Each structure stands twice: as C-alpha cells, then as structure tokens.
Amino acid sequence: DVFFVLMGAIMVLAMHAGFAFLEVGTVRKKNQVNALVKIMVEFAGSTLAYFFIGYTIAYGMDFLSAASVISGDTGEGYAPQGYDLVKFFFLLTFAAAIPAIISGGIAERARFYPQLVATVLLVAFIYPLFEGMVWNGNFGFQDFMEATFGAPFNDFAGSIVVHAMGGWIALAAVIMLGARNGRYRADGRLQAMPPSSIPWLALGAWILSVGWFGFNVMSAQGVE
C-alpha cells in the first residue's frame, strides 16, 4: 500500500510538469519564462505552506512535533511511519493542484508576487479547511451530512475538494481580472492569440493524461 500510494504521488507530481508545459505552450512567447517560473515557485510555496500549516489544519498531524517524539525529546507519543509520510506527499500534490488550476485560468493576467501570496494563503488555510471537512470529518461535517441525508459526502479523487474548488476560485479570479491585455481591439473585436508552442502544449496535455491515473486510481489508497 505504501508503494502504491508513493507511485500515485510521483505520478501526480509529474502532472505538475504537465500543467507547466500546457501553460507555457499556450501563453505568448514573451511570457513563457514568467509562466514556467511562476508554476515552479508556486509548487515550492505550496509545499512549505502545506507542510507547516495546511496538513495540520486538515488532519491534526504536526510532523515537527512528531519528529521530536522520534528523537526522544518529548517521551512517548505518536511517531509518523512510512505510510503517513507518503500519504502527506500524495496529498501535497493534490493541494498544489489548486494553484496550478488557478494559474492556468488567469495566465498572463496576474502579477507574480500577489499570485504567490494568494497561493500560500489558499494552500495553508482555505483548502485545508475544506479538505479536512470532507476527508477527515472535521467540524462534524460528515456526521451532519449523514444525519441529514442518510449518507456521508463522498468525494473520490478530489472531484469537488480539488477540481471544483480550483475551478470556482479560478472563475472568480478571471471575472475580477478580466481579459488579457491585447485580447480585444479598440473597436471591440477579438484579437487572435495563437499558442506560442504547439509541441509544448501537446506535451503538457499528454503528461496530464498519464498523471490522471495517479490522481484517480491511486486515490484508492491501497491495492485492495
């Protein structure tokens, strides 16, 4: 099961390369470097935010405190095992998909640093609240759903927790930011903006199509 989830985490991590190539191939040539750097830095920021804050909010597990238990500083207590650390890696790749989805939706529209700050806040606080309610039953959410509707809210592979949430936030961001500069002419007519690299766009789409097997199949969390 540990190996199964680890392979899923690696496949979803590779999906972020798909997000990168897809966006870089779609934006104008002058913005290719900016788009690639933005996606890489967003993943790094998501990793730090989820490790130090987000995962603890969602699942109540603090790896820093657990590490002190292993070293013997605090006596007996919980020590994370391989499966826990691999599961964190797997869920991190899910959390980082939120800003990746948003990034593609608002490509060539947002400044670098405000978008990075928004990414950290989303992955550290907003997404983990939603994730913890659905996948960990925080705040009695699943108990409420089962008592009200006769069954808990079942979200397999993040169809709502990840994809819909990312899409909703991206939609709001697109509405707020508006169209890309130069998308419309002075008379209101649409200005064509062809992709800057068809091969990169195709490569990104292909990597994403392979990575979905990690996103969906490995969400079973085990081989049985």
Side-chain angles (χ1 to χ4, degrees):
D1 289 345
V2 174
F3 182 76
F4 183 81
V5 176
L6 177 61
M7 290 300 99
I10 292 172
M11 292 178 72
V12 181
L13 177 63
M15 282 186 64
H16 288 273
F19 285 125
F21 281 113
L22 184 65
E23 184 170 335
V24 170
T26 303
V27 300
R28 287 169 286 185
K29 193 174 184 64
K30 65 176 183 175
N31 293 322
Q32 285 182 339
V33 174
N34 177 270
L36 182 59
V37 172
K38 178 183 64 175
I39 292 174
M40 295 178 67
V41 173
E42 281 183 344
F43 188 88
S46 297
T47 300
L48 294 174
Y50 197 65
F51 180 84
F52 286 107
I53 303 174
Y55 192 73
T56 302
I57 291 177
Y59 299 100
M61 183 187 298
D62 184 353
F63 284 120
L64 296 180
S65 298
S68 66
V69 172
I70 296 175
S71 65
D73 294 340
T74 60
E76 296 182 0
Y78 175 76
Q81 303 300 313
Y83 183 78
D84 300 307
L85 297 174
V86 169
K87 185 177 180 181
F88 162 78
F89 177 28
F90 184 65
L91 291 172
L92 163 65
T93 60
F94 276 50
I98 296 285
I101 293 170
I102 298 170
S103 177
I106 59 174
E108 299 186 305
R109 292 172 173 84
R111 288 187 171 186
F112 180 83
Y113 288 109
Q115 188 168 343
L116 177 59
V117 171
T119 292
V120 171
L121 293 176
L122 282 170
V123 177
F125 300 104
I126 299 176
Y127 168 74
L129 287 174
F130 194 24
E131 175 189 19
M133 289 170 59
V134 175
W135 286 339
N136 200 45
N138 293 354
F139 308 113
F141 174 74
Q142 292 291 20
D143 293 335
F144 167 78
M145 294 295 292
E146 190 164 6
T148 304
F149 301 102
F153 183 79
N154 187 19
D155 184 332
F156 185 78
S159 56
I160 300 296
V161 173
V162 178
H163 302 98
M165 182 179 180
W168 294 333
I169 297 174
L171 175 61
V174 168
I175 293 173
M176 290 177 61
L177 295 173
R180 290 180 287 177
N181 290 332
R183 191 70 175 97
Y184 294 94
R185 299 177 180 175
D187 59 3
R189 290 189 298 169
L190 190 67
Q191 175 68 41
M193 288 184 175
S196 59
S197 175
I198 296 296
W200 282 3
L201 193 160
L203 176 62
W206 186 261
I207 294 174
L208 286 171
S209 67
V210 175
W212 283 124
F213 287 94
F215 219 112
N216 291 281
V217 176
M218 273 63 170
S219 287
Q221 300 287 305
V223 293
E224 294 183 1

